[in-house]
Amino acid sequence: MNYILIPLLIVLLIMVVVSLVRGVVAFLQSAREEVDRDPNSTEASPMQLRQNQMMFARVKYQALAIVVVALILAIAR
C-alpha cells in the first residue's frame, strides 16, 4: 500500500508547490494591475480571481496530502 501512497504524496506535494508559485505570480501581476486600475472600481480583477483560485487549490492539495500522510501513519502502526 505504501508503494501507492508515497508516490501519491509526492505528486500532491508537487501540486502544492505549483499552485503556490502560480498564486504568487498572480499576486505579483495583480499588484502591477492595481497601479493602473481605476481607484473607484470595486470589482475584483481577473488576476485577483486567479490568485484566489490558486490559493484555494493550494489549500485543497495540502489537505489531501495530510490525509495521505495520516493513511501512511495508520498503516504503519
Side-chain angles (χ1 to χ4, degrees):
M1 189 68 166
N2 282 346
Y3 297 114
I4 296 171
L5 292 177
I6 291 176
L8 178 62
L9 179 62
I10 291 170
V11 168
L12 287 172
L13 294 176
I14 290 170
M15 293 176 81
V16 166
V17 171
V18 168
S19 62
L20 177 65
V21 169
R22 290 178 72 187
V24 169
V25 168
F27 173 74
L28 292 174
Q29 289 176 350
S30 70
R32 284 189 213 128
E33 285 181 359
E34 288 207 16
V35 172
D36 299 331
R37 275 183 73 170
D38 179 25
N40 296 329
S41 177
T42 58
E43 53 192 47
S45 71
M47 278 296 119
Q48 289 172 335
L49 295 175
R50 182 72 174 165
Q51 174 190 356
N52 192 15
Q53 289 173 344
M54 288 298 101
M55 290 303 133
F56 180 73
R58 180 185 57 85
V59 169
K60 178 176 57 175
Y61 295 135
Q62 282 178 330
L64 290 172
I66 290 170
V67 168
V68 171
V69 168
L71 284 172
I72 291 171
L73 290 174
I75 290 171
R77 290 187 181 190

